[in-house]
Amino acid sequence: MLDKNGIAKRIAKEVKNGYYVNLGIGIPTLVANFVRDDIEVEFQSENGVLGMGPFPYEGEEDADIINAGKQTITTMPGASFFDSATSFSMIRGKHVHLTILGAMEVSENGDIANWKIPGKMVKGMGGAMDLVASADNIIVAMMHTNKRGESKLLKRCSLPLTGVGCVTKVVTNLAVLEIKNNQFYLLERAPGVSVEVIQNATEGTLIIEGEIPEMNL
Amino acid sequence: MINKKVNNVREALLGVTNNMTFMLGGFGLCGIPENAISELVRLEIKNLTCISNNAGIDNFGLGLLLQNKQINKMISSYVGENDEFERQMLSGELEVELTPQGTLAEKCRAAQAGFPAFYTPAGYGTEVAKGKETREFDGKMHVLEPAFKADFAFVKAWKGDVAGNLIFKGTARNFNPLMCGAATITVVEVEELVPLGVLDPNQIHTPGIFVQRIFQGEKFEKRIEQRTVRKRS
């Protein structure tokens, strides 16, 4: 079974040379730590920066330079700043190649819910609805089950949706899954996790074809 | 040159009253019009509708207006950093219209640019699209979103001149340039108000035509919401 860093490490393998990548808050943010350093990648933060760098050294924080998680950051050589409309032109206009975000629920037809628990938690969607509605290449990073042990990979989402039919890949602490034909296809198992464990933790339709390899981290 | 300079925040906010709709720039606490917010708190005007990506934190930014119960309705994309906000929203004291961030930005820009509405794929199939006109383009469904209408836009820029030309810094730019000219009156506070001719016309982010009033803010606290650093190796 993977921890959060393990999930991020596996997703980092999906980041290819020449990609502009948008990372959501939480596990997705960790992906930047594991991207190979022999490829050229630029990270976009939807609040208005392309070419995001690591956190600043202590004493060098600048209140005017933050990421979408409101954390102080630095920029890489070649970075740029822009307004929010330009930022979402990059996203809506499909100039960003890969979007990685967290979720509370994903359904077998690619719906995603990650912004609201009615009557309980209302934080808002931020840029998530724009991201999932436009990006062609969306990877969801999340735990396979919630805190009560219930599956987050469902036949149908129970929470208010963020987007419909948009998720193509899910990486969890247990598995890598692809969504197509309204089904979850099991592609890889996390180290030491059996197909049976994944099957039991997946409420949606799970397709298992042939021998399922263990992730190569 | 048409002079947009006013002497202070009090002059800059002349004409604001109860029941108005305001746009406020900023993302989190980054690039918020701190001086205008302080003045709105002092004026104690109420029943306001505020368009702002976030709602500040409990004791800073728009959180100050919320504490004072001056805001009736918020139009935002993300409000997760503010407990008082969540309390007022869940209890029904505060009306909240959550709007996808890119749509929020474009609704400002549309108002600035004179577009009455636009189609976006964001929010299709979700509760955001409820009651809205939808239409298919190239096999994909879109939602019709109207431009915002507001009485005042409160904007924060880094540098400006008396003609109202503006330059923003870092990610403090965010929604600020999009709100300029998107309301009846645009009020800009800058960290540094420079004489005419100092700013290079090639480097202007927002031309002065979109600005009605500009002043140098008395104080910018620039609070950091999440101070994250790395160790020197």
Side-chain angles (χ1 to χ4, degrees):
Chain A
M1 200 187 297
L2 301 176
D3 60 3
K4 288 180 176 180
N5 277 305
I7 297 173
K9 202 169 172 186
R10 174 59 191 83
I11 292 175
K13 291 178 64 181
E14 307 285 325
V15 179
K16 305 284 191 296
N17 188 38
Y19 269 17
Y20 292 104
V21 182
N22 181 288
L23 300 177
I25 296 165
I27 300 173
T29 307
L30 302 171
V31 172
N33 301 333
F34 300 106
V35 173
R36 281 160 50 191
D37 51 15
D38 60 337
I39 59 174
E40 303 284 342
V41 173
E42 281 197 33
F43 292 106
Q44 196 247 20
S45 199
E46 64 269 23
N47 60 315
V49 55
L50 190 61
M52 214 184 343
F55 294 148
Y57 290 118
E58 200 166 352
E60 292 178 3
E61 314 92 284
D62 184 340
D64 291 329
I65 303 178
I66 63 168
N67 64 15
K70 283 101 180 177
Q71 298 170 312
T72 46
I73 53 155
T74 58
T75 53
M76 302 297 283
S80 55
F81 295 116
F82 35 84
D83 66 64
S84 304
T86 305
S87 180
F88 283 91
S89 297
M90 295 174 188
I91 291 163
R92 210 183 296 107
K94 300 181 191 291
H95 308 287
V96 171
H97 299 106
L98 175 62
T99 291
I100 303 167
L101 77 174
M104 299 173 192
E105 295 176 346
V106 174
S107 71
E108 60 191 26
N109 64 331
D111 293 354
I112 175 172
N114 72 352
W115 71 284
K116 185 179 183 182
I117 303 173
K120 233 183 189 176
M121 185 220 73
V122 196
K123 292 187 185 301
M125 67 294 280
M129 282 194 184
D130 307 271
L131 281 158
V132 300
S134 296
D136 289 327
N137 196 3
I138 300 172
I139 300 178
V140 166
M142 65 177 191
M143 304 311 266
H144 212 98
T145 54
N146 64 22
K147 281 174 189 152
R148 294 182 302 277
E150 298 157 347
S151 181
K152 293 170 73 175
L153 290 90
L154 307 171
K155 287 197 180 302
R156 192 165 296 193
C157 294
S158 64
L159 296 169
L161 296 180
T162 308
V164 291
C166 51
V167 178
T168 48
K169 204 170 233 185
V170 183
V171 179
T172 74
N173 52 326
L174 303 181
V176 179
L177 308 104
E178 193 185 353
I179 297 178
K180 58 180 183 188
N181 311 323
N182 294 325
Q183 290 158 325
F184 293 107
Y185 284 75
L186 183 57
L187 300 184
E188 297 172 25
R189 298 173 291 116
V193 175
S194 69
V195 169
E196 198 185 0
V197 166
I198 298 164
Q199 178 85 71
N200 288 337
T202 309
E203 191 229 74
T205 313
L206 184 68
I207 304 296
I208 303 154
E209 289 176 340
E211 198 68 18
I212 305 298
E214 202 170 272
M215 289 177 200
N216 180 10
L217 295 166
Chain B
M1 191 274 299
I2 302 169
N3 193 341
K4 307 292 172 70
K5 188 190 164 199
V6 294
N7 290 313
N8 51 48
V9 70
R10 292 193 180 197
E11 265 182 46
L13 266 69
L14 276 181
V16 298
T17 61
N18 295 333
N19 309 313
M20 277 187 164
T21 298
F22 298 150
M23 290 177 160
L24 299 104
F27 180 93
L29 301 178
C30 184
I32 58 171
E34 295 183 26
N35 291 275
I37 291 171
S38 300
E39 179 66 5
L40 289 171
V41 169
R42 195 190 66 81
L43 290 169
E44 292 184 335
I45 55 171
K46 295 219 187 306
N47 225 12
L48 304 173
T49 296
C50 291
I51 300 164
S52 169
N53 188 59
N54 311 87
I57 57 173
D58 280 321
N59 56 4
F60 199 61
L62 278 178
L64 298 170
L65 292 178
L66 283 164
Q67 269 176 1
N68 264 1
K69 308 255 167 84
Q70 291 175 261
I71 302 175
N72 199 31
K73 181 177 178 182
M74 278 293 313
I75 301 173
S76 304
S77 86
Y78 190 83
V79 293
E81 334 285 354
N82 193 321
D83 293 339
E84 174 62 12
F85 183 101
E86 203 158 348
R87 192 196 65 71
Q88 289 186 22
M89 173 163 61
L90 291 174
S91 72
E93 288 164 64
L94 180 69
E95 189 188 339
V96 179
E97 193 177 306
L98 288 167
T99 303
Q101 194 179 333
T103 301
L104 189 83
E106 209 58 28
K107 281 165 78 90
C108 296
R109 206 190 73 85
Q112 175 193 63
F115 292 114
F118 57 91
Y119 282 101
T120 175
Y124 177 75
T126 75
E127 60 185 63
V128 164
K130 246 180 224 160
K132 291 176 185 165
E133 203 177 312
T134 57
R135 186 167 162 185
E136 189 184 316
F137 294 93
D138 296 327
K140 188 171 174 143
M141 291 306 292
H142 294 73
V143 184
L144 186 67
E145 293 282 359
F148 281 131
K149 286 191 172 71
D151 299 296
F152 278 81
F154 299 113
V155 164
K156 192 263 164 174
W158 180 34
K159 290 179 183 177
D161 63 20
V162 294
N165 297 306
L166 307 177
I167 295 176
F168 301 90
K169 179 176 160 250
T171 52
R173 191 178 324 184
N174 56 64
F175 291 82
N176 282 299
L178 310 169
M179 291 178 173
C180 291
T184 308
I185 296 175
T186 298
V187 174
V188 182
E189 53 190 83
V190 292
E191 289 178 50
E192 202 183 331
L193 187 61
V194 301
L196 220 52
V198 171
L199 300 180
D200 176 356
N202 288 300
Q203 306 292 333
I204 301 295
H205 293 142
T206 297
I209 191 169
F210 294 118
V211 174
Q212 277 70 48
R213 303 173 189 172
I214 189 167
F215 68 102
Q216 186 168 305
E218 199 172 293
K219 186 183 145 204
F220 288 97
E221 199 178 319
K222 293 214 220 177
R223 265 198 225 176
I224 291 175
E225 220 165 314
Q226 307 281 346
R227 188 179 299 275
T228 43
V229 295
R230 73 187 138 135
K231 291 224 159 65
R232 280 170 210 277
S233 48

